[in-house]
Amino acid sequence: MLYAIIATDHPDSLAARRRTRPAHLARLEALQAEGRLVLAGPHPAVDAADPGEAGFTGSLVVAEFDDLAAAQAWADADPYVAAGVYREVQVKPFNRVLPR
């Protein structure tokens, strides 16, 4: 089943996000290699693809996991959690309607 992982950043966490990004991306790339990643990306703090020093307000990942517990465990182990980038992480079941 698909799950949405919706994370909200701590204020002023851009430096930690930049430092930890390679480890964060490696985990996403592993999901992609397994064919389980639907989409992933950050929420810019301003209306721009590259927000510069404004940074980001959080992230969204939609991926396939065996169950909610597995999705939650994966989210809890994110390097951004350990680095203090994320203030809150929600994991919710997700039903894909479009695109098919």
Side-chain angles (χ1 to χ4, degrees):
M1 178 161 184
L2 295 179
Y3 294 88
I5 300 168
I6 307 156
T8 303
D9 286 12
H10 279 286
D12 302 317
S13 61
L14 183 58
R17 180 183 267 273
R18 286 177 173 158
R19 274 192 316 275
T20 313
R21 189 171 189 261
H24 172 77
L25 287 179
R27 294 180 80 237
L28 292 170
E29 289 165 351
L31 278 180
Q32 184 177 20
E34 295 168 5
R36 298 170 42 204
L37 182 65
V38 174
L39 64 88
H43 301 286
V46 295
D47 189 11
D50 180 358
E53 292 306 309
F56 301 91
T57 61
S59 301
L60 171 65
V61 175
V62 177
E64 184 177 342
F65 294 93
D66 289 338
D67 53 34
L68 182 59
Q72 185 68 59
W74 188 91
D76 290 345
D78 194 295
Y80 281 172
V81 171
V85 174
Y86 290 156
R87 175 178 53 84
E88 178 184 13
V89 179
Q90 293 181 303
V91 180
K92 299 179 177 186
F94 182 81
N95 285 332
R96 180 177 177 163
V97 175
L98 294 172
R100 294 174 205 222

